[in-house]
Amino acid sequence: MSFWPVPDVMAGSIYEIRPRLFTNRGIRFIMLDIDNTVAPYTVNDASERMIEWVNEMKAAGLELFVLSNNRGERPERFAAAFGLDWCKKAWKPFTKNARRVMQQRGFSPEETAFIGDQIYTDVCCAKWCGAFAVLVHPIEFNRFILRFRYWLEVPFRLKYQWKYMK
């Protein structure tokens, strides 16, 4: 378990992520964030492209689960469109709900990956659980609070880039 919130992998979008990223590492379970990872905050329905991406992951033998801090209906709507189970009000970065889901599903942290757009929620939760952390570029920056939060993450995003430029 690492307390250093540097992702294991960064991608420009979720669509850059292929199943082999996980299968080559023995990862079989993926916890997927919704807001600004899968869809912008302003979109309430899953796109065909996203459904195809989820189906590609499933076809590779990966099990996916929607883990969202959202308190509304979005996690349920997206999970239903993807044919996945979900947990809303996950309280990431706190690990209680994520660990509960892993235990219920029978996966260890070493077999688990988190995909999200925020360091201080998604990456921290993954790292504190001992899981693999994938950070995607946020889809939109149209709210001041989002721009501010992402600005606070810049040192950790740069640390990732510096780490792999060596």
Side-chain angles (χ1 to χ4, degrees):
M1 175 171 55
S2 171
F3 287 98
W4 190 245
V6 175
D8 295 300
V9 169
M10 283 177 54
S13 83
I14 198 135
Y15 303 112
E16 294 178 8
I17 301 169
R18 306 276 42 102
R20 70 181 172 274
L21 171 68
F22 305 112
T23 57
N24 289 348
R25 289 173 169 80
I27 293 169
R28 302 181 307 129
F29 186 52
I30 299 171
M31 299 233 210
L32 184 61
D33 182 47
I34 295 296
D35 297 328
N36 234 11
T37 299
V38 167
Y41 288 97
T42 55
V43 173
N44 290 316
D45 295 307
S47 69
E48 282 300 316
R49 186 177 183 199
M50 190 62 217
I51 292 169
E52 289 171 11
W53 182 87
V54 168
N55 288 337
E56 178 186 2
M57 294 290 155
K58 288 179 181 179
L62 297 166
E63 185 175 329
L64 284 80
F65 187 93
V66 172
L67 186 73
S68 177
N69 283 348
N70 193 303
R71 292 174 174 88
E73 295 177 9
R74 283 172 57 85
E76 298 167 60
R77 285 181 74 129
F78 280 91
F82 301 147
L84 304 177
D85 289 331
W86 50 271
C87 172
K88 65 182 183 180
K89 300 182 203 173
W91 292 97
K92 295 177 288 183
F94 302 108
T95 62
K96 180 181 177 182
N97 287 319
R99 288 180 188 278
R100 179 181 47 80
V101 169
M102 283 190 287
Q103 183 180 28
Q104 287 174 347
R105 299 290 178 159
F107 293 103
S108 69
E110 296 79 22
E111 298 172 299
T112 303
F114 287 65
I115 303 175
D117 66 303
Q118 294 184 48
I119 297 267
Y120 296 121
T121 56
D122 305 307
V123 172
C124 283
C125 189
K127 292 296 190 172
W128 296 349
C129 282
F132 190 74
V134 179
L135 183 70
V136 298
H137 188 75
I139 295 171
E140 67 181 13
F141 291 96
N142 64 351
R143 298 178 186 169
F144 171 76
I145 191 68
L146 291 177
R147 284 183 290 209
F148 180 70
R149 284 192 342 216
Y150 294 128
W151 178 78
L152 292 173
E153 296 177 353
V154 166
F156 300 107
R157 291 174 187 270
L158 291 174
K159 176 69 175 164
Y160 170 85
Q161 292 171 350
W162 181 77
K163 175 175 140 181
Y164 290 101
M165 288 173 55
K166 288 183 180 183

